[in-house]
Amino acid sequence: MSVDDNTPVLRGCIKLPLDRDELVEVTSKAKDYAIMHGAAMRSKTSFSPDSLNFAPFVLVPSSFPRKEFEKAIALQPIINRLMHNVAHDEEFITTTLAETIKVDEFTANLFNIYRKVLAHGFTQRISLGMLRSDLMLESRCPELSPLLDSSAGGGDDDDVDADVEEQEQRRANDAKAKTKAKGKSAKVGGRTSSAYCCWKQVEINTIASGFGHLGPASKTIQSFVLRELGHAEKLQRMPKNDALACLCIGMVRAWDIYAKPQAVILFIIEDVSYNICDQRFHEFYIRENYPHIKVLRRTLTEVHREGKLGQHKELLLGSTEVAVIYFRAGYEPAHYPSQGEWDARYLMETSLAIKCPSIQYHLAGTKKVQQALAQPSVLERFINDPEEMKAVGKIFTGLYSLDDNEAGNANYEMALRTPEKFVLKPQREGGGNNVYGVDIPDALKRMSRVERSAWILMDLIHPPLSQGYMVRPGGDMPPQIVDMVSELGIFGVVIGDAEHIFHNYQAGHMLRTKLSTANEGGVAAGLGALDSPYLIDSDDEDGYF
Ligand code: ADP
Ligand code: MG
């Protein structure tokens, strides 16, 4: 991570450090609280299907500017629609990925399925998108960014279903988003500098967008901790988070559309699910609130063994018909150890089941497509409203092609000259695949010109720091105060076909926080920690250090 002495620090939600005895006491309680409320994972080092460790978490919530949070929430339905339109633009997907699939076998395999499905016609024209747009505050952008003025949020915690409907209605009636300019400054070590001026999208996920449960669970742990520490009044600044319910309702809506009472929802899972709570809670939510809908879990290998198509191309596992397929696996090469798993993916794509994601949605979520979308003229193709286009255009940081052409080669030279400004990304998901800063030249030089087109280059984002205690299984007790940076993910649900969108709503959020020195912050990968936003306002007297 690019952090230096000038990196601004967001003011914490409570005064630190805590008294040592108080810290030990509250940390021990919070660890147990986390396990007992399902903020947990299976251990990778001593795996047992019979036990859980608590998931790493930040003890008290990290600050996040309210205006930026609300802007991200308000923008999500627009991003949902954008991704839906991209997924249904055959020409755009085909042209954008043309160079990449020549050298990236995994993307080529996915594309091959797409091509075959296109050739035969889509059996199921409706897709279920459960997206997550990941973003970071940018503390170094040279100008102050206009922000989207939002009226999103509010509502009653108890009635999530009604909330989703209300949100869809509000958006449908919504006037164009207004924009207004605003600035922000922070005092760092006596100097005044910008704490952030906008946020930038890190990536958009269209497959296996996790933390629908762990997002809200983080808020639960941190609310408990704040209450234990005598700061119950702070809870009002932690925004409500119905991610689990909103995502599950998305699956239920898709199931309703399929309209076969006996058909089930199928979760496609890895051979070993370490992040088990973040899958089972979805299943349990559906079973508890919609007990007439059955949920099955299968690996791709099992689908290959058990799956077949019925008379009307319905997906059958034995004699059980599948209405909706929710992929929590299938996004990386290791999930396809043999041709059998690819055959299973193809079988599902050609079936009548509604898929999350369908193959076109999966391809729309590739880094290469994200890079192509960030080019100014491209958004026009997918967004009609000029205000919306402007608002979405602003969330992209510089994204550059490395294709073997004049522009790509110029970008390659730029990366060699100033690598510290960039992140180099392949067409992979799940963390741990990117190359950062000074490591970029060596990585690029090892590739042929053609191989480079499987990668994209992205401006490094410089989020402000926050300081707090990160609690991990086997970590220091009591934990030390560390410098951290956060990444906010906003969930969105969109259901529709090429002509219509039937449902489109923002579906809650998650915050992941990592040590400021770490490049990546995947919680399942062991680098990040669960967190949730503590919203601070520009007119807070003590908003920032
Ligand atoms: P993946 O699909 O593997 O999750 P991401 O694009 O989300 O790939 O990158 C993984 C992580 O790397 C992010 O969660 C973030 O912490 C870090 N990262 C990615 N892009 C940037 C960027 N442009 N600036 C700073 N950090 C980044
Ligand atoms: Mg990511």
Side-chain angles (χ1 to χ4, degrees):
M1 254 294 129
S2 172
V3 170
D4 58 31
D5 290 348
N6 293 324
T7 307
V9 184
L10 292 165
R11 186 183 179 90
C13 130
I14 58 168
K15 203 165 176 311
L16 300 182
L18 293 174
D19 166 75
R20 190 182 187 283
D21 291 345
E22 190 179 35
L23 176 61
V24 170
E25 168 109 11
V26 79
T27 305
S28 323
K29 272 191 222 178
K31 286 180 182 181
D32 287 345
Y33 191 93
I35 297 177
M36 293 171 195
H37 289 76
M41 290 180 173
R42 299 239 198 270
S43 168
K44 282 194 170 158
T45 45
S46 49
F47 177 84
S48 161
D50 298 339
S51 64
L52 291 169
N53 280 351
F54 70 85
F57 62 91
V58 179
L59 194 63
V60 295
S62 296
S63 295
F64 201 94
R66 184 189 304 274
K67 277 275 164 63
E68 302 301 320
F69 179 82
E70 289 180 349
K71 175 187 158 197
I73 295 278
L75 206 57
Q76 190 58 40
I78 301 170
I79 294 178
N80 290 346
R81 184 154 25 84
L82 165 68
M83 295 312 292
H84 186 82
N85 292 345
V86 170
H88 289 89
D89 190 326
E90 184 189 327
E91 195 212 327
F92 179 71
I93 289 190
T94 307
T95 333
T96 304
L97 294 174
E99 294 305 309
T100 308
I101 58 175
K102 287 183 191 160
V103 279
D104 185 315
E105 195 189 341
F106 180 67
T107 313
N109 284 337
L110 294 174
F111 192 83
N112 206 21
I113 292 178
Y114 177 57
R115 211 173 32 78
K116 284 199 281 182
V117 173
L118 278 176
H120 295 112
F122 289 91
T123 312
Q124 177 54 262
R125 300 183 67 252
I126 296 169
S127 296
L128 165 61
M130 298 211 282
L131 316 178
R132 203 187 68 215
S133 170
D134 290 340
L135 59 101
M136 279 175 169
L137 294 170
E138 173 57 272
S139 62
R140 287 201 205 163
C141 78
E143 54 191 277
L144 299 170
S145 297
L147 300 177
L148 199 70
D149 209 6
S150 141
S151 59
D156 186 344
D157 271 357
D158 296 332
D159 194 349
V160 177
D161 221 336
D163 239 27
V164 167
E165 251 153 43
E166 198 184 293
Q167 204 192 108
E168 293 190 56
Q169 189 59 42
R170 187 170 49 224
R171 197 180 31 72
N173 299 337
D174 217 7
K176 288 173 189 168
K178 289 172 277 167
T179 57
K180 67 173 188 178
K182 119 179 151 164
K184 174 108 19 260
S185 71
K187 280 218 158 138
V188 186
R191 283 169 297 107
T192 300
S193 76
S194 173
Y196 71 90
C197 49
C198 55
W199 53 261
K200 295 291 178 191
Q201 187 177 65
V202 174
E203 68 156 343
I204 176 107
N205 300 283
T206 59
I207 182 163
S209 311
F211 282 64
H213 159 69
L214 289 174
S218 321
K219 179 182 171 186
T220 313
I221 308 170
Q222 292 176 328
S223 303
F224 169 74
V225 169
L226 285 178
R227 276 194 302 267
E228 288 298 298
L229 293 172
H231 291 292
E233 83 288 354
K234 306 268 181 193
L235 266 53
Q236 55 180 333
R237 284 180 182 257
M238 297 175 74
K240 84 170 189 168
N241 189 359
D242 289 324
L244 179 67
C246 290
L247 293 171
C248 290
I249 288 169
M251 288 189 258
V252 170
R253 294 263 156 98
W255 184 90
D256 287 338
I257 290 173
Y258 194 84
K260 294 253 190 95
Q262 300 307 319
V264 304
I265 298 179
L266 170 66
F267 287 21
I268 299 295
I269 54 166
E270 317 96 304
D271 290 341
V272 182
S273 298
Y274 295 102
N275 194 5
I276 187 70
C277 295
D278 203 59
Q279 297 177 8
R280 284 288 191 200
F281 272 90
H282 295 64
E283 177 178 346
F284 300 158
Y285 183 92
I286 294 171
R287 295 295 295 145
E288 278 160 24
N289 293 283
Y290 305 90
H292 53 290
I293 307 178
K294 210 171 153 190
V295 174
L296 294 182
R297 288 163 63 82
R298 293 287 185 278
T299 63
L300 286 167
T301 315
E302 288 165 342
V303 172
H304 177 56
R305 215 164 37 226
E306 296 169 33
K308 59 176 190 292
L309 295 189
Q311 253 187 349
H312 306 287
K313 296 208 176 173
E314 59 276 33
L315 178 66
L316 300 172
L317 294 176
S319 58
T320 305
E321 180 167 353
V322 176
V324 177
I325 308 175
Y326 173 44
F327 285 92
R328 287 301 296 249
Y331 54 82
E332 64 176 40
H335 297 161
Y336 301 84
S338 72
Q339 184 57 37
E341 288 72 23
W342 284 111
D343 292 346
R345 181 76 191 264
Y346 179 64
L347 181 83
M348 290 186 275
E349 289 303 330
T350 54
S351 80
L352 199 58
I354 300 177
K355 285 146 302 265
C356 175
S358 56
I359 192 73
Q360 63 270 33
Y361 255 85
H362 190 167
L363 291 170
T366 53
K367 309 273 189 296
K368 185 66 195 171
V369 167
Q370 185 193 7
Q371 177 259 306
L373 278 178
Q375 298 169 103
S377 57
V378 174
L379 275 183
E380 286 172 21
R381 188 174 174 129
F382 303 107
I383 303 180
N384 296 327
D385 184 310
E387 291 292 329
E388 289 185 358
M389 202 157 63
K390 212 161 99 190
V392 173
K394 287 204 158 69
I395 71 174
F396 294 124
T397 189
L399 282 141
Y400 314 92
S401 150
L402 291 171
D403 285 357
D404 185 16
N405 54 32
E406 203 179 322
N409 292 328
N411 294 334
Y412 166 74
E413 296 295 337
M414 174 174 77
L416 293 188
R417 271 196 314 275
T418 50
E420 66 285 355
K421 290 187 175 162
F422 302 109
V423 184
L424 180 65
K425 299 188 178 185
Q427 309 306 308
R428 291 289 176 278
E429 303 294 328
N433 303 300
N434 301 341
V435 181
Y436 294 83
V438 292
D439 294 335
I440 292 176
D442 275 354
L444 281 178
K445 284 179 195 161
R446 278 197 300 271
M447 297 174 204
S448 71
R449 272 168 171 257
V450 200
E451 278 167 350
R452 294 204 296 259
S453 52
W455 297 70
I456 60 151
L457 195 65
M458 182 175 186
D459 284 345
L460 193 65
I461 306 168
H462 311 87
L465 298 177
S466 53
Q467 290 171 334
Y469 298 106
M470 202 178 263
V471 186
R472 341 187 122 267
D476 286 351
M477 193 61 181
Q480 310 289 317
I481 292 185
V482 286
D483 283 346
M484 310 178 293
V485 295
S486 298
E487 184 172 349
L488 181 67
I490 309 287
F491 292 104
V493 170
V494 53
I495 306 180
D497 60 21
E499 283 83 40
H500 304 102
I501 290 183
F502 309 124
H503 300 285
N504 176 9
Y505 55 90
Q506 171 268 328
H509 61 272
M510 50 81 88
L511 192 73
R512 267 177 311 180
T513 293
K514 63 184 178 184
L515 291 179
S516 62
T517 46
N519 281 326
E520 298 200 11
V523 177
L527 294 164
L530 307 182
D531 200 352
S532 53
Y534 176 79
L535 300 183
I536 49 177
D537 292 293
S538 52
D539 51 3
D540 288 351
E541 278 211 342
D542 55 357
Y544 307 96
F545 279 122

